Amino acid sequence: MAPALTHPPGATFLDDHHSHSSKPIVDAASYYNSADVHSRSRTYSHSQLHGYNPKRVPAFQEDWHLRPRRLSHDEKTVSGPPRRFLIDVEETIRVVLEQEDTDGDFQISITDAGPKMMALGTATSNGFKTFDIRGTYMLSNLLQELALARDHNRKRIVLDEARLTENPVDRLSRMIKHSFWHSLTRRIDGDGLEIITADPKNRTGRVNPRIYVPHGEPAMAEYYRKVAKEKPHMNLDVQVLPEKPDDPLFVKSLNSKPGLLALAMNEVDDGAGGKTLKGIPFIVPGARFNELYNWDSYFIALGLLVDGQVSMAKGMVEHFIFEIKHYGKILNGSRSYYLCRTQPPFLTDMALQIYNQLDRSDVDANRDWLKRAIQAAIKEYHTIWVAEPRMDPKTGLSRYRPDGLGIPPETEATHFTHILEPYAEKHGLSVLEFSEKYNDGVLKEPELDEYFLHDRAVRESGHDTTYRFEKRCANLGTIDLQCLLYKYEVDIGTAIREVFDDELDLEEDFPLAPFPPSVEAYANPKRESSKSRVQRSDEWFERAEFRRNMIDKYLWNESKGLYFDYDTVTEKQILYESVTAFWALWAGCASEEQCWKLVSRSLKKFEVLGGLVSGTEESRGKISLDRPNRQWDYPFAWPPHQIMTWVGLERYGYLEEAQRLAYRFTYMMTTAFVDFNGVVPEKFDAVKLSHLVDAEYGNQGIDFKMVPREGFGWMNSAFQVGLSFLTTHMRRAVAACTSPEVFFGAGASGVSGESALLTNNLPPSDPLGMAMENLTL
């Protein structure tokens, strides 16, 4: 008599209905939410019930040399019905890493020297027939899927081959929408504090969390004290800020006790008939940036809107309204050491784009929400951007010029060593001793004060760091800031006219900046632009027109066909060629003729194989050991510059140029995603199409094991927004990793210099060669 078969309790069998077989391309939570899957053996063997015992192990043996190594872009042929594989999760992870991860970084990349082929047992044959999984892309996808299955506590899975061969553009877009945004979501309340209080930039040695609550929010302070009492293991330190929390002396006093700043909360039912507070969720940039940031949030919001997450984007505006009310500005980031510093202003465009996508069922509530956002922007405009010291009364230009004392505390401990060493030697002290005495005000060094004024301004600009701003940023009326403020003025005027019937009452009392700005007007602050707290559109349009005239007067260079920054101290243009000149198209402050000159004469200076570089190589100058690369200079490419230029070009009717640039950038992102285990980094070297960059801060978003969890905030958005510019044909070409030089033809507009040389000597169709060349630099 045959022995009885014993099955694991609650076992699901392959020949039963398989829940995800008809839709293999869904998010991991849906795909891996069922029980472990087994196959009913045709024999009395238990080999496939409790262990992994395939007919042929999923690795090369003595025959590896008989089969060619597969690359990511090799053509793949599929015949017959869709394949599914019966896989033991832990054992296959072990084998994949042992065989393919030759550099030990828990990723399968094009630079790994493994055979790039593995045999997996098919589910229909109970694992006895095998099929070869080949190439970097399929193997890295296999590793990712196994890691996701492990996340869902799966020991054995039936895996659809379609998840391994998934169109890379669709796969990345799906991961951003369904996984990355979720992983980057934070909330500041009792449930979310333990995740967000950790600050990888904190070098004080203190690990216990601290939260600062603004003055005038007693209920919030009481809430956090209650959380601290209910969760003693956290050792949460709750502090209440003074009424003026951005006093430079006070902010410097917090350097030794940094903490998280409280953000907006909603009152909700506590489930016991009472009320409690709950943090409004928001998205962080990722990696070492684990807090709410200013301009990152704008670009993140654009991606959220593409993905239909309107309420998440709306919540981030709520936090900015809260910050303006309680901290005086939209902060660089929501940590105590950022209290004196803001970042590029995007609030009005962010609020209006969200307003246009709100549910139309409650028009009055939407209008009230926009009113709060516009009022907050008006306050920020008057008290920060057109108030001294950021406003230069002589020219009417605004500058990045934050308050602050001492050495910026969020930098690495050795970041300023080369700057401090001469001063330390002068006083016969070590760098550490000098730093302490300088920060305490014991030692006075005016030249060092000036250096750190400009350094803080660079950080406020968001472009930290670049030779464009070196030792002069606080004096510059930059083209990017003037464009953003022009957009503020137009947006505010338009909202007042179109939404608020040309009349908006300011509910909060704050000083209104004089208009038009002049030295005499700022010397006599009683001369305000409007005695009434009622705002009307005409004044805002007058402000915008005035600013456009000042941009043309001081920043436009007719002979060069480009906008430049203006030094308000030396009273001359700084002829550093920056791609932020194209922000004038996004803001709409360029004339049609200026736009034509920007596109026809200047665009080619910044366009390279992978999109737009931050500035030209000529402006950056030569790089040496004494003059290292800066991350916001050539050859690096960043999402804000791409998105702003795409939108600006489309606004002026240059859609083909916008599509070409979007193609370049999404192509660069897709090839990195395919060749490097799904990586989505903070920035790229757009000339070499590489995220393996040589810059002072390295790169963020690349340190993960087996499966990317977050991507990087604004890079995620750049991909989703970029895809919206592409035609179906372009999207298919990007998914096939078709080089821009192939797609648009050799000598495509804009590529010259080193990038063209690279194209000629090292074809883009050789991703391994490009990656290896970069590794040897």
Side-chain angles (χ1 to χ4, degrees):
M1 180 178 175
L5 291 176
T6 57
H7 305 309
T12 300
F13 292 93
L14 179 62
D15 47 359
D16 294 334
H17 176 67
H18 191 36
S19 62
H20 61 247
S21 61
S22 60
K23 292 185 178 180
I25 308 301
V26 294
D27 63 283
S30 301
Y31 190 78
Y32 294 113
N33 67 354
S34 58
D36 288 341
V37 177
H38 299 266
S39 178
R40 285 193 173 92
S41 177
R42 295 178 182 272
T43 71
Y44 297 118
S45 167
H46 292 185
S47 63
Q48 288 295 94
L49 287 175
H50 300 288
Y52 187 67
N53 185 24
K55 186 176 181 181
R56 182 167 54 130
V57 294
F60 283 127
Q61 296 180 15
E62 68 281 352
D63 64 340
W64 68 269
H65 61 282
L66 301 177
R67 306 180 190 183
R69 183 176 186 266
R70 293 290 295 264
L71 296 179
S72 300
H73 309 304
D74 285 2
E75 187 175 335
K76 305 172 184 66
T77 58
V78 178
S79 59
R83 294 186 186 89
R84 289 185 287 160
F85 303 108
L86 188 60
I87 296 176
D88 179 290
V89 174
E90 293 298 332
E91 176 63 12
T92 311
I93 288 175
R94 183 192 68 77
V95 173
V96 170
L97 291 175
E98 184 178 281
Q99 174 180 299
E100 300 291 347
D101 180 25
T102 58
D103 59 7
D105 65 352
F106 292 88
Q107 298 176 20
I108 309 301
S109 302
I110 198 169
T111 50
D112 282 310
K116 297 294 169 71
M117 191 172 86
M118 176 168 290
L120 293 180
T122 61
T124 53
S125 71
N126 197 26
F128 282 87
K129 290 184 178 180
T130 60
F131 179 78
D132 288 339
I133 300 301
R134 299 187 177 196
T136 300
Y137 182 60
M138 287 185 73
L139 282 164
S140 66
N141 284 352
L142 173 62
L143 183 63
Q144 293 172 45
E145 294 299 326
L146 293 171
L148 293 170
R150 175 196 275 177
D151 289 348
H152 291 82
N153 300 312
R154 297 294 302 278
K155 302 299 182 185
R156 293 164 62 82
I157 58 172
V158 172
L159 180 65
D160 289 88
E161 184 186 11
R163 291 184 76 85
L164 305 182
T165 60
E166 184 179 0
N167 177 310
V169 168
D170 294 343
R171 182 176 178 89
L172 176 51
S173 184
R174 174 178 62 80
M175 291 175 75
I176 291 170
K177 182 175 183 178
H178 295 291
S179 175
F180 292 176
W181 292 138
H182 176 74
S183 297
L184 291 170
T185 300
R186 302 288 185 272
R187 238 179 40 230
I188 303 182
D189 56 21
D191 295 326
L193 270 174
E194 292 183 70
I195 298 175
I196 196 170
T197 46
D199 182 7
K201 301 178 295 303
N202 177 13
R203 51 188 173 89
T204 64
R206 179 189 170 92
V207 294
N208 291 343
R210 179 185 288 113
I211 186 162
Y212 287 99
V213 180
H215 177 84
E217 289 287 344
M220 191 177 288
E222 184 58 33
Y223 168 83
Y224 286 115
R225 292 190 187 105
K226 183 180 178 183
V227 170
K229 188 175 181 180
E230 292 175 349
K231 297 187 176 184
H233 66 279
M234 284 184 62
N235 294 314
L236 179 64
D237 181 14
V238 182
Q239 298 285 333
V240 176
L241 291 168
E243 192 169 357
K244 182 174 170 49
D246 57 350
D247 175 76
L249 275 171
F250 171 74
V251 175
K252 190 183 75 169
S253 74
L254 301 181
N255 287 355
S256 60
K257 43 185 179 181
L260 188 68
L261 298 174
L263 292 176
M265 305 181 82
N266 286 328
E267 190 176 66
V268 298
D269 294 330
D270 63 3
K275 295 288 185 180
T276 187
L277 295 177
K278 186 174 183 179
I280 299 174
F282 58 92
I283 305 291
V284 299
R288 71 195 291 260
F289 305 108
N290 190 40
E291 52 270 302
L292 180 72
Y293 275 79
N294 185 344
W295 75 320
D296 291 73
S297 295
Y298 169 73
F299 295 101
I300 287 170
L302 297 181
L304 291 172
L305 293 178
V306 170
D307 287 336
Q309 297 198 37
V310 180
S311 62
M312 180 69 76
K314 182 182 177 186
M316 294 165 81
V317 171
E318 288 288 352
H319 290 309
F320 289 159
I321 295 171
F322 182 91
E323 286 189 340
I324 292 170
K325 177 181 179 181
H326 291 292
Y327 304 128
K329 61 184 74 67
I330 300 177
L331 301 171
N332 181 162
S334 56
R335 302 272 178 188
S336 56
Y337 43 75
Y338 291 135
L339 278 165
C340 287
R341 193 190 313 158
T342 182
Q343 264 192 334
F346 283 93
L347 178 57
T348 58
D349 190 76
M350 186 176 178
L352 286 170
Q353 292 218 39
I354 294 166
Y355 174 76
N356 288 332
Q357 293 198 33
L358 291 177
D359 186 346
R360 295 291 194 270
S361 63
D362 197 340
V363 175
D364 291 339
N366 296 348
R367 192 172 179 272
D368 290 343
W369 177 82
L370 182 64
K371 182 178 181 180
R372 291 174 54 240
I374 294 298
Q375 285 181 326
I378 291 173
K379 178 183 178 182
E380 181 203 23
Y381 174 89
H382 278 288
T383 60
I384 298 295
W385 295 115
V386 294
E388 293 187 292
R390 289 178 178 83
M391 166 61 75
D392 174 47
K394 187 171 183 180
T395 60
L397 300 175
S398 297
R399 303 168 293 187
Y400 295 112
R401 199 177 177 92
D403 291 325
L405 297 170
I407 303 169
E410 80 274 16
T411 57
E412 291 79 359
T414 59
H415 186 79
F416 295 108
T417 297
H418 66 294
I419 299 296
L420 299 173
E421 275 177 344
Y423 295 96
E425 291 175 5
K426 171 183 169 183
H427 292 280
L429 301 170
S430 69
V431 170
L432 179 60
E433 291 171 329
F434 173 78
S435 299
E436 291 175 350
K437 290 182 181 294
Y438 173 72
N439 273 340
D440 291 341
V442 175
L443 296 177
K444 306 290 184 182
E445 291 290 348
E447 289 185 6
L448 203 53
D449 294 343
E450 178 79 5
Y451 174 86
F452 284 119
L453 167 65
H454 294 306
D455 182 86
R456 284 189 295 273
V458 170
R459 298 174 193 284
E460 182 167 84
S461 77
H463 293 77
D464 48 335
T465 61
T466 164
Y467 288 113
R468 171 190 174 198
F469 291 156
E470 191 98 333
K471 299 180 181 179
R472 62 189 178 199
C473 186
N475 297 337
L476 299 182
T478 67
I479 177 59
D480 40 294
L481 181 55
Q482 312 317 310
C483 292
L484 294 176
L485 292 176
Y486 174 85
K487 187 70 159 55
Y488 253 47
E489 291 154 349
V490 171
D491 286 348
I492 292 170
T494 303
I496 292 173
R497 184 183 65 193
E498 303 296 332
V499 183
F500 306 116
D501 301 323
D502 210 22
E503 189 173 295
L504 179 67
D505 294 327
L506 296 180
E507 297 173 2
E508 191 174 349
D509 189 25
F510 53 84
L512 299 175
F515 180 75
S518 66
V519 175
E520 295 77 15
Y522 276 87
N524 182 11
K526 290 185 179 180
R527 290 180 57 189
E528 295 179 341
S529 59
S530 172
K531 297 295 181 183
S532 170
R533 308 303 294 181
V534 177
Q535 299 290 294
R536 291 188 169 82
S537 62
D538 55 353
E539 180 188 336
W540 287 97
F541 292 134
E542 287 174 15
R543 285 179 176 273
E545 186 61 26
F546 174 83
R547 189 174 298 276
R548 182 163 70 172
N549 290 335
M550 294 304 101
I551 290 172
D552 288 345
K553 178 179 179 180
Y554 293 109
L555 279 64
W556 175 250
N557 189 307
E558 181 68 23
S559 64
K560 295 182 180 293
L562 195 64
Y563 292 99
F564 294 94
D565 303 328
Y566 182 82
D567 192 317
T568 59
V569 174
T570 62
E571 300 187 349
K572 62 181 182 182
Q573 284 185 352
I574 301 299
L575 299 181
Y576 184 106
E577 295 171 321
S578 169
V579 75
T580 57
F582 288 86
W583 291 22
L585 305 184
W586 174 86
C589 60
S591 67
E592 293 292 338
E593 183 181 357
Q594 286 170 325
C595 175
W596 180 81
K597 289 182 178 179
L598 282 169
V599 174
S600 62
R601 295 173 54 184
S602 297
L603 185 60
K604 60 187 176 184
K605 296 180 179 181
F606 305 98
E607 184 175 354
V608 297
L609 196 58
L612 293 167
V613 290
S614 302
T616 62
E617 185 176 18
E618 181 183 8
S619 291
R620 180 203 65 185
K622 290 186 177 180
I623 297 303
S624 64
L625 288 175
D626 296 329
R627 196 173 185 272
N629 238 329
R630 300 286 189 237
Q631 66 176 0
W632 285 91
D633 287 329
Y634 178 93
F636 303 120
W638 293 77
H641 295 161
Q642 319 303 315
I643 295 173
M644 296 287 277
T645 306
W646 301 339
V647 174
L649 289 168
E650 183 185 37
R651 176 174 186 163
Y652 279 77
Y654 292 88
L655 181 59
E656 286 188 11
E657 286 77 5
Q659 289 178 319
R660 185 179 71 240
L661 294 172
Y663 185 101
R664 291 187 182 282
F665 199 73
T666 52
Y667 163 79
M668 179 167 62
M669 287 189 66
T670 303
T671 54
F673 180 79
V674 166
D675 293 337
F676 288 90
N677 210 107
V679 72
V680 180
E682 174 194 31
K683 57 182 173 284
F684 278 101
D685 177 334
V687 174
K688 296 187 180 298
L689 301 186
S690 176
H691 64 285
L692 304 171
V693 302
D694 179 25
E696 74 266 44
Y697 290 117
N699 212 342
Q700 302 296 315
I702 64 176
D703 186 18
F704 59 88
K705 295 187 187 303
M706 296 196 288
V707 60
R709 305 285 181 179
E710 302 176 340
F712 195 84
W714 58 21
M715 193 68 78
N716 298 341
S717 286
F719 194 74
Q720 303 297 66
V721 174
L723 292 182
S724 72
F725 278 85
L726 303 185
T727 64
T728 301
H729 178 51
M730 287 177 165
R731 181 173 174 134
R732 288 172 179 164
V734 170
C737 295
T738 305
S739 165
E741 302 314 295
V742 174
F743 187 82
F744 295 107
S749 174
V751 180
S752 58
E754 185 180 342
S755 185
L757 207 60
L758 185 67
T759 303
N760 294 331
N761 297 337
L762 192 63
S765 58
D766 179 19
L768 176 61
M770 297 189 75
M772 294 305 294
E773 186 201 339
N774 191 73
L775 286 173
T776 60
L777 287 177

